[in-house]
Amino acid sequence: YVWDANEEYLFKAMVAFAMRRYSSKSTTQISNVLLCNVTDRVSFWFVVTDSSKNVTTVPGSEVEAAIRMNRNRINNAFLLSDKTLQFLKITSTLSPPVEPSTPVWLIVFGVVLCLIVAGIVFLVVSGIQKHKKKNKESTDRENLEEKVEVTLENGIPCEALDLKAGHINGVFAADDERFTSL
Amino acid sequence: LSATPEIPKEDGRPKWDNKFQYILSCIGFAVGLGNVWRFPFLCQIHGGGAFLIPYFIALLFEGIPLLHLELALGQYLRKGSIGAWNTISPYLGGVGVGSWMVSVLVSLYYNTVLTWVMWYFINSFQEPLPWSVCPLNENRTGFNEECHESTAVNYFWYRKTLNITPDIAESGTLQWWLILCLAACWAIVYLCTIRGIETTGKAIYVTAIFPYLVLTIFLIQGLTLPGATEGLIYLFTPNLNTLKNPRVWLDAATQIFFSLSLAFGGLIAFASYNPTKNDCEKDAVTVAIVNSMTSLYASIPVFSVLGFKATTAYWDCLDRNIINIINEFDLPEESIMRQNYTSWISFLNSSYPEKIAGLKLKSCDLQEFLDQSVSGTGLAFIVFTQAIILMPGSQAWAILFFIMLFSLGLSSMFGNIEGVFTPLLELQIIPQSAPKELLSGIICLICFLIALCFTLGSGSYWIDIFDRYAGSVPLLVIAFFEVIGVVYIYKIKRFSKDVEWMTGRKLNLYWQIVWRFISPLLLLIVFMAFVTLQMQKSPSYAAWNPKYEGFPMKEEKVYPPWVHAICVLLAALPCICVPLVALFHLVKQKRRSKDPSFVPPEVFSCQGANS
């Protein structure tokens, strides 16, 4: 927006407002605020006079304190900030940074750590289960093999052996003689 | 002399689920943080596009041959580094032990760098980003002094993250927030390497591919930023004069060597899980080329962002000067813009020189801002974080950037841990019946406890030491002995036959020449030059000392003698293993040959070579 006489009027009004709030005197008028040396840069000097005390200027420290108290309102009236509306010799107190009760990073860290621990527990447990299953399988296989072995006698499967009848060994049954001859 | 390795059929060795997993693991191991923060820096200081010439020559004669050698070795012998070198020759077992030791040392400090990345990552969820504003001092009248004199980004890095001490001899205290992050990092490493390649094979799909996605996003975003083109032009403008400086060739050779993660034993371990009939030649060429292409690809967004940052800093400088001039001369607002700044300055200088001199304007030069080149952690944690603050939507960019760095580093950690894990598994440190999870847990726990040293106030100085001494010279020595060992002790003819058997075609003449002569010679020259250069530089470090007069410049300090001794120890220990083990076996052999009744075990080892 362009800086014209209306804006100057607003500025005078804001300074008067600040003085009224600060010293709680309701006698400061807009006409008490004087601007001079207005340049194109939009910079100027201003003084506040005190009409009740015979046209003397209010001391600078009072004006400074008043403006410092109401800085926020003055800035907002002009849609400016501490950086863009500068009062030379008035340093602004800095606002403290917003800090939440628990630091944000701890929360994120907690989430990450929970995920990791859940993953590790899952993998370890599944590993143990797989191990147990493998052990159970291998013991099952061993039992099965033993049973199979039981049914082997002398290398010959029992089913093939006829335990009641015997096998005639052909080597010794060469002739019908059962007794050796004298 | 050495036993013929048997070709096993079903030996119960774990194997990759598919070939893609294996290639991806090798690429992930090779592509690490150095591709993002070292290669662009080298490109910039060594004449831009001209640096690519020595880089590709080094790739051709050093990188690819050594990579092929390691992959072929691991694949044929099907053992980790210690076992493989013991099989080639017991006298060369020291090479395996040396590379195992380097893997341990590097794992220790590499994960601490990942700790810093994680710390920044979990801090990126805050609005506004904690490194964008300075904290206030005690009476809230101004900013914290240390922060005010340097920048908010520097303050967050040196004070809030590292809490750095002004001297390496002052250890400071353990930083509890870093300990938490370190524990989380080692827990993540444990989670991913818990069962060896079974679990890393699955994790690598994410950690190896994700960085490329993020790099592409940053590429697109970076190119749209103002000033990106200046950064890119600055990066890639070739200045062929720099090639006359031998330092450039040395840097190219060392960059290729360290970038491909050679001589760590991790590549041998990865390849040992392969089926033997696998084309290792193609794999090696693929991995090496992908690694180099990634370096180039990553330098584009990095330099777009750096150009953006330099341009923004330049504009800020101009703006500050303009405000000062306008205030001084009471000119109307917006009368001086950036475009007509120079004409205004010359006009005012001719008409009111005293007033201009009285303003003490800082000279703003874009070239000067672009010249501020940084590499390493400075690039990621100071320069890039500052650039991210300036981008719209900074939280998202910060989160993406740090996740990308984390996955890049994590996939390299897998290779390091595999280089430690596989040889230990084969040496059967723990009984056969105990689960693999126990061994990986023990490794991660021990490494975590040792790495707590790096969370001290002086931790980052120690990490620099480890990086400079443990992660550089020993690797060159080990690689040199690797090539010599395979070519002259195992005999190149035998190795060629092995490779032919694996790949199914005759070995190209290129490999023969390079393995026999060029690579060993090149490694020797690089090693000599590297050591000479290190010797010339007095071992000093740059300390962050708020009480220094030149603060925020860093103070140059010399290492105290006990630190110097540790540096030499770190560099010498893995190298000493090679002659020590050879000597040990020589003594054993001599003692055996003196005792004729003792039957040499080599007779039996022929059958049971691959236990």
Side-chain angles (χ1 to χ4, degrees):
Chain A
Y1 52 80
V2 182
W3 187 264
D4 53 11
N6 296 330
E7 305 289 342
E8 283 181 20
Y9 191 78
L10 180 59
F11 184 78
K12 292 188 199 172
M14 290 309 292
V15 174
F17 163 74
M19 291 304 299
R20 284 198 189 195
R21 278 195 79 196
Y22 176 69
S23 47
S24 9
K25 284 191 289 218
S26 34
T27 51
T28 323
Q29 303 288 325
I30 292 182
S31 48
N32 286 112
V33 184
L34 304 166
L35 271 65
C36 36
N37 277 3
V38 183
T39 62
D40 275 341
R41 170 76 185 89
V42 195
S43 67
F44 46 82
W45 292 91
F46 69 95
V47 287
V48 182
T49 58
D50 199 345
S51 44
S52 63
K53 286 207 186 115
N54 261 356
V55 198
T56 48
T57 51
V58 177
S61 49
E62 234 180 274
V63 179
E64 270 180 41
I67 294 193
R68 199 182 253 137
M69 203 176 88
N70 296 291
R71 190 64 188 272
N72 202 21
R73 304 292 298 272
I74 302 177
N75 281 350
N76 279 331
F78 291 99
L79 304 172
L80 294 171
S81 65
D82 275 359
K83 274 213 183 116
T84 38
L85 177 62
Q86 267 180 313
F87 288 91
L88 301 174
K89 286 198 224 157
I90 303 183
T91 53
S92 44
T93 48
L94 305 154
S95 58
V98 176
E99 244 177 78
S101 46
T102 40
V104 175
W105 69 266
L106 260 180
I107 302 175
V108 180
F109 176 75
V111 168
V112 168
L113 202 63
C114 284
L115 287 172
I116 300 170
V117 170
I120 292 181
V121 165
F122 168 70
L123 278 179
V124 169
V125 164
S126 70
I128 294 177
Q129 276 182 349
K130 226 192 290 179
H131 203 67
K132 265 199 219 140
K133 210 164 66 166
K134 217 182 350 163
N135 275 345
K136 198 155 101 64
E137 265 182 29
S138 60
T139 47
D140 276 349
R141 216 182 302 129
E142 276 174 27
N143 288 341
L144 214 64
E145 281 174 1
E146 273 177 29
K147 278 206 214 94
V148 171
E149 279 186 29
V150 160
T151 56
L152 284 175
E153 275 265 355
N154 243 1
I156 310 168
C158 284
E159 303 89 69
L161 285 176
D162 195 351
L163 292 166
K164 292 221 178 76
H167 275 276
I168 300 175
N169 194 337
V171 175
F172 294 104
D175 44 37
D176 286 330
E177 287 183 350
R178 269 188 270 134
F179 299 107
T180 52
S181 55
L182 286 165
Chain B
L1 192 84
S2 44
T4 323
E6 276 184 354
I7 301 112
K9 297 165 206 77
E10 294 296 323
D11 56 358
R13 198 175 173 74
K15 51 191 207 304
W16 298 104
D17 288 345
N18 51 52
K19 175 92 182 269
F20 186 57
Q21 238 181 36
Y22 161 63
I23 296 280
L24 217 57
S25 297
C26 290
I27 291 179
F29 184 30
V31 171
L33 297 169
N35 293 64
V36 169
W37 70 35
R38 183 133 173 95
F39 177 78
F41 165 74
L42 286 177
C43 237
Q44 181 195 354
I45 63 170
H46 288 318
F51 182 69
L52 294 177
I53 299 178
Y55 186 73
F56 276 111
I57 293 181
L59 181 71
L60 209 59
F61 291 118
E62 191 193 343
I64 300 185
L66 283 170
L67 191 61
H68 187 198
L69 192 86
E70 286 208 6
L71 291 183
L73 203 68
Q75 199 174 288
Y76 190 70
L77 297 175
R78 294 178 66 84
K79 280 206 180 143
S81 55
I82 298 184
W85 289 104
N86 266 327
T87 316
I88 292 227
S89 159
Y91 294 100
L92 280 179
V95 178
V97 176
S99 56
W100 180 84
M101 226 180 267
V102 173
S103 283
V104 171
L105 291 174
V106 171
S107 303
L108 286 177
Y109 81 80
Y110 206 79
N111 218 14
T112 315
V113 177
L114 285 186
T115 306
W116 298 336
V117 175
M118 169 169 273
W119 165 253
Y120 266 79
F121 167 69
I122 59 183
N123 269 299
S124 305
F125 287 89
Q126 221 172 308
E127 158 76 48
L129 290 171
W131 55 81
S132 58
V133 285
C134 270
L136 301 174
N137 56 16
E138 282 86 36
N139 48 10
R140 302 236 194 105
T141 51
F143 293 118
N144 179 307
E145 200 187 314
E146 187 184 347
C147 183
H148 190 63
E149 285 182 25
S150 59
T151 61
V153 178
N154 274 326
Y155 178 75
F156 186 74
W157 169 238
Y158 286 109
R159 191 54 50 210
K160 281 290 164 71
T161 306
L162 298 175
N163 201 5
I164 206 166
T165 55
D167 195 285
I168 194 171
E170 284 173 46
S171 302
T173 52
L174 291 169
Q175 317 304 330
W176 60 272
W177 58 90
L178 283 183
I179 296 182
L180 285 180
C181 293
L182 187 72
C185 281
W186 276 110
I188 293 183
V189 170
Y190 180 50
L191 174 71
C192 295
T193 57
I194 194 168
R195 280 193 222 126
I197 64 164
E198 246 180 83
T199 40
T200 59
K202 313 274 185 320
I204 201 81
Y205 284 120
V206 175
T207 59
I209 297 188
F210 186 71
Y212 288 98
L213 284 171
V214 177
L215 275 177
T216 312
I217 297 176
F218 263 100
L219 182 80
I220 300 174
Q221 213 267 353
L223 288 175
T224 61
L225 292 170
T229 31
E230 271 89 16
L232 284 175
I233 293 172
Y234 183 70
L235 169 71
F236 283 119
T237 321
N239 176 13
L240 290 166
N241 284 324
T242 53
L243 292 183
K244 296 194 198 118
N245 182 6
R247 188 66 204 276
V248 175
W249 295 85
L250 177 67
D251 275 341
T254 47
Q255 171 62 15
I256 272 288
F257 184 78
F258 298 133
S259 175
L260 282 171
S261 308
L262 297 166
F264 276 93
L267 288 168
I268 298 184
F270 279 155
S272 69
Y273 296 115
N274 261 343
T276 32
K277 291 270 199 186
N278 177 47
D279 193 347
C280 50
E281 185 181 342
K282 205 159 65 161
D283 296 342
V285 176
T286 311
V287 171
I289 292 191
V290 169
N291 180 51
S292 296
M293 288 298 127
T294 309
S295 291
L296 277 172
Y297 189 60
S299 51
I300 301 180
V302 167
F303 263 87
S304 316
V305 172
L306 288 181
F308 163 68
K309 178 177 175 300
T311 308
T312 321
Y314 173 63
W315 285 348
D316 278 343
C317 180
L318 279 182
D319 285 343
R320 249 178 294 143
N321 285 352
I322 290 175
I323 290 274
N324 281 338
I325 295 177
I326 288 184
N327 276 343
E328 180 71 18
F329 289 95
D330 274 334
L331 300 162
E333 195 74 40
E334 290 187 14
S335 53
I336 307 183
M337 299 296 286
R338 293 178 194 140
Q339 294 91 323
N340 48 16
Y341 172 77
T342 32
S343 49
W344 265 102
I345 271 283
S346 45
F347 164 69
L348 287 171
N349 227 350
S350 48
S351 19
Y352 310 98
E354 331 78 39
K355 267 197 178 176
I356 294 283
L359 279 178
K360 293 203 185 59
L361 295 173
K362 223 173 109 178
S363 72
C364 301
D365 182 17
L366 182 61
Q367 217 34 44
E368 195 189 308
F369 287 111
L370 282 172
D371 271 335
Q372 289 166 359
S373 50
V374 201
S375 82
T377 51
L379 179 74
F381 298 118
I382 299 182
V383 173
F384 230 76
T385 44
Q386 197 156 18
I388 286 180
I389 306 174
L390 304 165
M391 293 185 208
S394 5
Q395 266 95 355
W397 296 115
I399 293 173
L400 270 181
F401 178 63
F402 289 115
I403 294 192
M404 173 188 83
L405 284 187
F406 194 77
S407 9
L408 278 174
L410 195 64
S411 50
S412 300
M413 269 306 284
F414 291 161
N416 280 323
I417 292 288
E418 208 49 50
V420 176
F421 184 64
T422 306
L424 283 181
L425 205 65
E426 284 159 10
L427 285 176
Q428 292 178 356
I429 298 281
I430 57 169
Q432 195 76 295
S433 54
K436 267 195 269 189
E437 289 90 332
L438 190 64
L439 182 62
S440 45
I442 293 176
I443 293 177
C444 289
L445 188 66
I446 295 181
C447 286
F448 166 67
L449 291 173
I450 300 181
L452 283 175
C453 304
F454 295 124
T455 58
L456 290 168
S458 52
S460 82
Y461 299 133
W462 285 107
I463 291 193
D464 275 333
I465 288 182
F466 268 68
D467 193 29
R468 246 203 280 179
Y469 293 100
S472 57
V473 173
L475 291 173
L476 289 169
V477 171
I478 291 172
F480 177 70
F481 279 111
E482 277 190 10
V483 183
I484 296 291
V486 167
V487 169
Y488 295 109
I489 299 187
Y490 189 73
K491 297 289 193 295
I492 185 89
K493 275 205 177 57
R494 213 163 129 206
F495 192 63
S496 311
K497 261 200 247 126
D498 297 339
V499 176
E500 275 171 41
W501 182 82
M502 286 196 291
T503 61
R505 57 175 183 275
K506 198 156 162 46
L507 206 62
N508 204 336
L509 189 65
Y510 157 73
W511 299 110
Q512 302 260 6
I513 300 178
V514 175
W515 279 338
R516 252 191 248 243
F517 310 114
I518 303 190
S519 285
L521 196 63
L522 207 60
L523 275 174
L524 200 63
I525 297 177
V526 169
F527 172 68
M528 304 280 217
F530 194 77
V531 171
T532 322
L533 220 70
Q534 291 280 68
M535 298 285 195
Q536 276 177 354
K537 276 192 302 199
S538 69
S540 66
Y541 65 106
W544 179 263
N545 187 3
K547 299 202 178 56
Y548 177 52
E549 309 93 46
F551 188 75
M553 299 300 289
K554 294 216 208 152
E555 189 182 352
E556 282 288 324
K557 287 193 184 171
V558 181
Y559 286 128
W562 62 276
V563 173
H564 205 173
I566 296 184
C567 298
V568 175
L569 195 74
L570 277 175
L573 206 64
C575 308
I576 290 284
C577 287
V578 180
L580 262 182
V581 171
L583 207 68
F584 171 69
H585 276 281
L586 202 69
V587 165
K588 213 160 71 167
Q589 186 75 348
K590 279 223 158 63
R591 215 182 294 154
R592 236 182 267 131
S593 61
K594 283 204 186 119
D595 187 1
S597 59
F598 192 88
V599 182
E602 264 95 276
V603 175
F604 300 114
S605 71
C606 280
Q607 284 101 36
N610 267 6
S611 53

